[in-house]
Amino acid sequence: MELTFASYNIHKAVGLDRRRDPDRILAILHEIDADVIALQEADRRFGRRESVLPLDRIEDLGHYKAIQLGHRPHSIGWHGNALLVRRHFDVVHAGVVALPTIEPRGAVRADLLAQGRRLRVVGMHLDLSGLRRRHQLRTILTHLGRTDHHCPTVLMGDFNEWSLHGGSLREFHAPWRVLMPGASFPSRRPIAALDRVVVSAEWELLEAGVHHSPLSARGSDHLPVFARLKLPKF
C-alpha cells in the first residue's frame, strides 16, 4: 500500500498578496493530491474560531473530508490544526493532544482504516520556544506510547525547528525517522525546513519533497511538504 501524506501551514488562507483566498488554498491541495493532509493555521484565531476553509468548499473537492474533532462547531480543527483524509477512509478514532504551552498550540490525532490497514496520523504546530518544543514533542510521544492498537504512524506539521538535526528533533530516537522534505519557509525564497514529517519503523520512504508551484509560492508564507510512503503486506 502506497500513500501520500502532506503538511501545509496555510497561514489562515492569507497569501503573500495579503488576500484571504480559501479557493486558492483548495486549488493547492488539489495540486498536491495527497491521501492525508495535516493543516496548520486552518482556523481564525479570534471569535468563534471558524475554519478559513468552509466545509462545503472542502466537499466540493470531491475526494476529501475533514476529520471532525467536535470542540468548536464552526471549526474543522483545534488550535488551527486540522486533518483532511480521502473520503473512503474510515475514521476509527479522532481526538486532540493537549500540549504544554502559553501560546494557542496543539496537536490532533486520528486513527484511520485504509485498505484494511489501521494507520495513525498526528498533525501539530509547535511552539517558537525551543525548550517548549521539546516538552511538546515529549508530550506527543508519551501520548502515543500510551495508546492502544500499535500501528504504523506518521507525525507531521510545522515544527518551527530551524535546526536540521538537533534541537527538539533530538526527542526522536530509533525506530522513529525524521524525514527531510526540504526548505519550506518562507515561501517566496525558502531557506528553513520548518515543516517536517516523522514516521514509525513500518514505513518505507519512496519520495519526500516540497510542493513548489506558482500557486503555492504565493498562497501562504509556507510551502507544503509531502512524503510518499509504502507499507509492506501483512
Side-chain angles (χ1 to χ4, degrees):
M1 179 172 63
E2 297 181 10
L3 296 173
T4 300
F5 295 81
S7 178
Y8 191 14
N9 184 329
I10 65 173
H11 195 51
K12 301 177 180 61
V14 177
L16 299 189
D17 55 5
R18 299 185 181 180
R19 290 193 302 112
R20 191 186 307 277
D21 191 344
D23 289 327
R24 178 168 55 193
I25 295 297
L26 292 171
I28 295 168
L29 299 183
H30 183 74
E31 289 179 348
I32 301 168
D33 195 31
D35 298 289
V36 181
I37 303 174
L39 299 176
Q40 300 87 49
E41 298 193 24
D43 298 333
R44 295 176 185 265
R45 188 165 186 174
F46 301 105
R48 297 188 302 174
R49 307 282 182 91
E50 64 260 52
S51 169
V52 298
L53 301 180
L55 277 174
D56 58 345
R57 305 275 186 89
I58 295 173
E59 293 170 356
D60 286 344
L61 279 179
H63 50 262
Y64 285 118
K65 60 184 176 183
I67 293 181
Q68 298 299 311
L69 300 170
H71 282 257
R72 292 181 181 272
H74 303 285
S75 168
I76 63 169
W78 188 65
H79 288 320
N81 294 278
L83 294 170
L84 305 182
V85 300
R86 297 284 189 193
R87 295 185 66 86
H88 63 274
F89 287 3
D90 292 325
V91 180
V92 180
H93 170 86
V96 304
V97 183
L99 300 182
T101 182
I102 297 175
E103 299 180 72
R105 303 285 185 182
V108 292
R109 170 201 156 199
D111 285 15
L112 311 171
L113 276 181
Q115 299 181 34
R117 301 290 299 269
R118 184 169 181 145
L119 317 171
R120 182 165 294 143
V121 60
V122 178
M124 66 190 77
H125 190 181
L126 301 185
D127 207 277
L128 296 174
S129 160
L131 178 60
R132 200 163 287 126
R133 282 196 300 273
R134 298 192 73 155
H135 292 165
Q136 290 169 346
L137 285 176
R138 288 174 193 168
T139 299
I140 292 168
L141 292 174
T142 298
H143 169 84
L144 293 175
R146 292 173 177 170
T147 55
D148 297 327
H149 306 289
H150 175 78
C151 58
T153 301
V154 177
L155 316 178
M156 52 186 172
D158 180 355
F159 280 49
N160 267 319
E161 180 58 71
W162 287 73
S163 173
L164 293 180
H165 305 287
S168 61
L169 300 178
R170 292 195 181 98
E171 296 301 316
F172 293 105
H173 306 285
W176 293 106
R177 285 178 295 152
V178 180
L179 308 183
M180 291 287 292
S184 57
F185 178 85
S187 55
R188 188 183 301 277
R189 187 173 297 176
I191 59 173
L194 302 188
D195 304 282
R196 304 295 183 100
V197 180
V198 181
V199 299
S200 60
E202 297 90 343
W203 297 100
E204 175 187 345
L205 174 63
L206 300 178
E207 181 187 10
V210 179
H211 179 77
H212 202 157
S213 69
L215 275 182
S216 67
R218 64 179 187 273
S220 169
D221 58 346
H222 286 246
L223 293 171
V225 300
F226 68 90
R228 190 161 62 92
L229 305 173
K230 181 178 179 179
L231 273 180
K233 295 181 180 179
F234 287 100

